Amino acid sequence: MATLTNEHVMTATDDLVAAFAATDTAAYFACFSPDASFVFHPESARLNDRAAYEKLWASWLDDGWRVLSCTSSDRLVQTFGDTAVLSHTVDTVTSVGGTQSTTRERESIVFVLDGARLLAVHEHLSPVPA
């Protein structure tokens, strides 16, 4: 991948969303750089690296959490050399102990070109106002 394009960002986003939608831990976290940071509105603090998020994710799984579906819409890609910002809306259905929950959130993901791969280095989730 010599030049970062919108198509590369869309493909990386599709891979990330599909892994999340499948609750595929290994594939999902492979989409992120080890030093990626995360800001999730339900959490009290920023997660400063992938390992911190992996620990949180594992606690969710231990509680019986899983993703039933996740769809991405209203995508905007902005490229800046070897960096891109994707913003989109995500509609997610999760289950904890058989109880389903649906969320609609705005998400921004910053991607960087790492050799031949596009990796996410920052993710920020915000609630969509009712």
Side-chain angles (χ1 to χ4, degrees):
M1 181 179 333
T3 303
L4 183 58
T5 66
N6 285 9
E7 182 179 330
H8 295 129
V9 177
M10 292 296 194
T11 298
T13 301
D14 288 342
D15 293 346
L16 190 152
V17 170
F20 182 79
T23 320
D24 184 338
T25 300
Y28 179 61
F29 284 104
C31 296
F32 294 96
S33 171
D35 61 354
S37 59
F38 305 87
V39 177
F40 300 145
H41 64 92
E43 300 303 319
S44 61
R46 179 185 59 236
L47 303 169
N48 290 326
D49 56 31
R50 186 178 71 198
Y53 183 17
E54 288 176 301
K55 183 177 178 182
L56 178 62
W57 177 279
S59 75
W60 295 340
L61 293 176
D62 288 345
D63 289 341
W65 175 88
R66 65 187 178 105
V67 182
L68 301 177
S69 68
C70 183
T71 57
S72 167
S73 62
D74 193 28
R75 293 178 174 185
L76 172 66
V77 174
Q78 299 168 284
T79 57
F80 307 96
D82 288 346
T83 303
V85 177
L86 168 93
S87 57
H88 63 158
T89 300
V90 286
D91 292 291
T92 305
V93 179
T94 57
S95 175
V96 178
T99 302
Q100 289 187 20
S101 160
T102 301
T103 58
R104 172 169 266 206
E105 297 162 307
R106 291 183 192 140
E107 181 175 53
S108 296
I109 303 171
V110 179
F111 290 98
V112 295
L113 202 50
D114 181 26
R117 270 199 83 204
L118 196 55
L119 291 176
V121 295
H122 181 73
E123 180 180 359
H124 185 127
L125 274 174
S126 300
V128 173

